[in-house]
Amino acid sequence: MIKVLLVDDDFLVRTFLSRVTDWEKHGYTLVGAAQDGEEALHMVQEYQPDIIITDISMPVMDGIELIRRLKQAGNTAKMIALSCHDDFDYVKEAMKLGIDEYILKNLLTEESLLKLLDEMKRSIVSTNQSGLQFHAPDEEREYYLQLLRGGEPKPEDSFVASAAMAVSILNYDTHVAIMPMEQQKRFHSSFAQICREACQNASAVRCVHVKQGLYAVLLDFTGIPSVYERREKIQQYASAAVRYVEQYLAISVCIGTSRVESFQTSLQQCWEQAKDAGNERFYAPQTVFYGWQVQEMGKEIPELARQFSENIAGYIARKEGGMIRQQWEAVLEEFRLQHTQQWLVEEWLRQTDREAGIKQRAVPSRLDQFRGLEAAYITFKEEMLPELDHYSSAVNQTIRYLQRNHKNDASLQEAAEQVHLNAAYLSHIFSKETGITFSEYLLSCRINTAKELLVHTGDKIRDVGAQSGFHDYRNFCKTFKRVTGVTPQNYRKQCN
């Protein structure tokens, strides 16, 4: 692969260049993008690019000075100068210094750029970054994946990863997975380039596509002895990555970082620390989590959660709605206190649903979204609250009110007026006597009516929702699935 380095002070130009073509498809790999000539000199030393595409007019160190220094140092990389119409005097100077080609920015297209690059490719012998030689991008990716799994680096690899960031794309399924494969390849290239941009194009950085929606950003901090400075650097990099991918790729990410206190930690350990830190999002509504701040994850399901799963069928059979709700809240709090690993909580919910006789439902990605899921264990039974003589007169009348009016705009306030009680007091005695809340029983009435209509009529799903008391179609479908574990459409298919 021919290595290409981009140099331009305009972030939009650098982003455009990184996405103007499918570099790897045409035999090129982008090794980085510098913001000025001074930064480019460091990156040239680290990456040894075969081709340098540089802007002429830049702050700190412009393209002319960059070209002059590279030529004086005997660098043999091919050079393409980018210029505007009013940069012609600079272009002439660059040509005297020995640039290979130049192109006007307003005329830059994929075709014109590839034509220039292909003319240079014939005389170039490709070598890869860090002194390593790879024959294909997949080979390079597999090398770094092996390092993440605990493999040994090659002797000629001068890159020493001493810290890592685990970058997860939160909306991968809706924003990336739906792309055609060719477009996905470009996305991965652009994402990696933007991660390097976020790391201020530090030469000691690698970005590896680990799996769908997950990337590893590897950092070499061996030249930074101060722990404080290493922490400061990784904080800057992570914050910038969040901003850049949102602004330029319209995606949202969550980032976990490794600890940075020791150079004795292996890359595999750094990567595990970064992933564990990223998993903190299950408990906290943040975007970036730093390895030295996070709590260690619990590796076992709490005993209280196990007992709830074992007892749920009995709670349902005895219609102990109050116990279900009380125990559910206690279980969630126990998960929070023990900081149980997310995958264990997810498996616990699936097991509990199986014990309760509920079909598998979507598992939330955050613990706070588990609140309210216990309603499925309370409302999915058709015979809920069948024996009205067990309750006081006010609660009895309220149940009958809901049975008659749940298809309409039934409300606690209206029910309270009918039994001549304060709404708050009625809510209290209703929950105390029945074991479920007013809202839960209202929802159960509406869900049961919807089930009846789905099984015994051919009405459209939208009409079924409206006839059951749900005035918003999307809310009906979402609520029905949350309560029953299946969509209204699938429920109808299963029962017919």
Side-chain angles (χ1 to χ4, degrees):
M1 299 289 282
I2 303 299
K3 296 180 294 181
V4 180
L5 173 67
L6 307 177
V7 188
D8 199 296
D9 64 306
D10 190 326
F11 182 80
L12 291 177
V13 174
R14 294 196 303 272
T15 302
F16 168 75
L17 286 171
S18 69
R19 304 177 67 178
V20 70
T21 189
D22 185 341
W23 292 90
E24 294 181 352
K25 176 182 177 182
H26 296 286
Y28 303 96
T29 181
L30 287 180
V31 295
Q35 301 178 59
D36 55 60
E38 188 173 285
E39 186 175 43
L41 287 175
H42 296 292
M43 298 184 76
V44 167
Q45 184 177 6
E46 169 67 20
Y47 290 110
Q48 295 297 308
D50 303 299
I51 298 175
I52 300 171
I53 303 174
T54 180
D55 189 14
I56 291 292
S57 179
M58 295 181 293
V60 184
M61 181 190 293
D62 62 22
I64 298 297
E65 183 61 22
L66 170 64
I67 295 167
R68 179 180 291 111
R69 292 199 186 186
L70 289 175
K71 291 298 182 180
Q72 289 174 350
N75 190 282
T76 59
K78 301 293 182 180
M79 298 185 190
I80 300 175
L82 297 174
S83 70
C84 299
H85 282 293
D86 54 0
D87 288 336
F88 190 66
D89 288 339
Y90 287 105
V91 172
K92 288 193 295 184
E93 181 66 21
M95 294 178 71
K96 291 179 182 178
L97 292 172
I99 64 166
D100 297 277
E101 291 287 352
Y102 80 92
I103 187 170
L104 295 175
K105 288 185 178 181
N106 63 314
L107 299 180
L108 180 62
T109 64
E110 179 182 18
E111 291 74 21
S112 62
L113 181 59
L114 286 175
K115 183 178 179 181
L116 288 178
L117 292 172
D118 289 342
E119 290 174 356
M120 299 175 179
K121 184 189 294 187
R122 299 183 187 90
S123 60
I124 295 174
V125 177
S126 176
T127 55
N128 195 272
Q129 57 197 24
S130 300
L132 298 177
Q133 183 172 352
F134 299 105
H135 300 292
D138 288 344
E139 182 183 341
E140 180 179 2
R141 176 172 177 260
E142 185 57 34
Y143 170 71
Y144 285 109
L145 289 178
Q146 287 292 342
L147 295 185
L148 294 177
R149 301 183 191 115
E152 292 294 326
K154 296 181 178 180
E156 63 271 29
D157 188 357
S158 61
F159 179 80
V160 181
S162 52
M165 298 194 300
V167 185
S168 301
I169 298 179
L170 301 179
N171 47 1
Y172 186 88
D173 290 340
T174 57
H175 286 62
V176 184
I178 59 174
M179 296 177 181
M181 289 305 298
E182 205 61 33
Q183 193 174 347
Q184 284 190 37
K185 290 181 181 179
R186 291 196 182 192
F187 174 87
H188 294 317
S189 177
S190 298
F191 190 88
Q193 178 59 37
I194 286 179
C195 284
R196 288 192 289 266
E197 291 279 351
C199 297
Q200 302 169 7
N201 275 312
S203 58
V205 60
R206 306 286 184 268
C207 183
V208 185
H209 180 210
V210 178
K211 63 179 182 179
Q212 284 195 344
L214 179 64
Y215 296 78
V217 177
L218 313 180
L219 301 164
D220 185 346
F221 281 163
T222 53
I224 306 176
S226 166
V227 173
Y228 173 81
E229 189 176 352
R230 293 199 294 271
R231 285 183 176 180
E232 189 176 53
K233 285 285 186 183
I234 207 168
Q235 288 173 333
Q236 293 173 355
Y237 295 167
S239 298
V242 171
R243 294 196 309 273
Y244 287 4
V245 297
E246 173 67 32
Q247 182 175 359
Y248 296 102
L249 294 179
I251 59 173
S252 300
V253 296
C254 172
I255 298 178
T257 82
S258 66
R259 303 174 67 88
V260 295
E261 290 81 358
S262 172
F263 288 135
Q264 305 304 315
T265 307
S266 69
L267 175 56
Q268 183 183 26
Q269 291 173 317
C270 287
W271 176 234
E272 293 301 323
Q273 290 173 3
K275 288 192 296 180
D276 286 346
N279 290 336
E280 281 287 316
R281 190 174 183 276
F282 185 63
Y283 289 98
Q286 297 173 214
T287 302
V288 182
F289 301 89
Y290 301 106
W292 57 89
Q293 295 178 342
V294 300
Q295 178 181 341
E296 185 177 354
M297 288 282 183
K299 295 178 173 57
E300 293 184 359
I301 296 176
E303 183 59 29
L304 184 64
R306 292 182 184 277
Q307 292 177 2
F308 181 88
S309 184
E310 293 171 358
N311 296 332
I312 185 62
Y315 292 151
I316 293 172
R318 296 188 296 271
K319 304 180 182 65
E320 295 179 338
M323 179 62 74
I324 291 175
R325 190 169 56 253
Q326 176 186 345
Q327 290 296 306
W328 183 265
E329 289 297 322
V331 168
L332 296 188
E333 182 61 21
E334 194 67 20
F335 280 137
R336 190 179 303 280
L337 289 174
Q338 296 194 23
H339 228 56
T340 309
Q341 290 180 337
Q342 180 176 351
W343 74 271
L344 289 175
V345 181
E346 293 172 348
E347 182 54 38
W348 169 82
L349 178 62
R350 296 187 185 98
Q351 178 62 30
T352 306
D353 282 355
R354 287 193 291 268
E355 295 290 338
I358 294 178
K359 294 185 179 296
Q360 184 173 337
R361 50 181 166 170
V363 180
S365 59
R366 296 271 306 283
L367 184 65
D368 55 15
Q369 296 169 340
F370 277 63
R371 184 160 283 106
L373 294 186
E374 76 279 9
Y377 308 134
I378 300 172
T379 63
F380 83 114
K381 287 293 185 182
E382 305 287 347
E383 65 271 16
M384 179 176 286
L385 309 184
E387 300 175 8
L388 300 185
D389 57 350
H390 289 180
Y391 311 115
S392 66
S393 175
V395 172
N396 189 309
Q397 290 180 59
T398 301
I399 293 172
R400 294 184 184 278
Y401 162 81
L402 288 173
Q403 291 174 343
R404 292 192 308 268
N405 297 285
H406 67 272
K407 301 177 184 179
N408 304 313
D409 294 325
S411 68
L412 176 62
Q413 183 61 45
E414 187 174 65
E417 291 174 358
Q418 292 199 9
V419 298
H420 309 292
L421 290 175
N422 175 273
Y425 181 68
L426 176 60
S427 175
H428 171 71
I429 64 172
F430 189 94
S431 298
K432 183 177 180 180
E433 293 185 24
T434 66
I436 61 174
T437 66
F438 179 94
S439 298
E440 287 171 344
Y441 186 64
L442 172 59
L443 177 60
S444 74
C445 291
R446 287 173 171 169
I447 291 294
N448 291 339
T449 296
K451 289 179 177 179
E452 187 74 17
L453 293 173
L454 288 169
V455 174
H456 297 293
T457 75
D459 294 347
K460 294 180 179 179
I461 302 298
R462 184 182 298 275
D463 294 336
V464 168
Q467 293 170 43
S468 305
F470 296 93
H471 301 302
D472 182 271
Y473 173 65
R474 290 186 177 181
N475 180 55
F476 167 57
C477 293
K478 182 179 179 180
T479 303
F480 191 93
K481 184 175 182 180
R482 175 173 62 82
V483 171
T484 67
V486 294
T487 63
Q489 293 91 332
N490 288 338
Y491 183 85
R492 171 174 275 170
K493 290 178 182 178
Q494 292 172 2
C495 296
N496 290 331

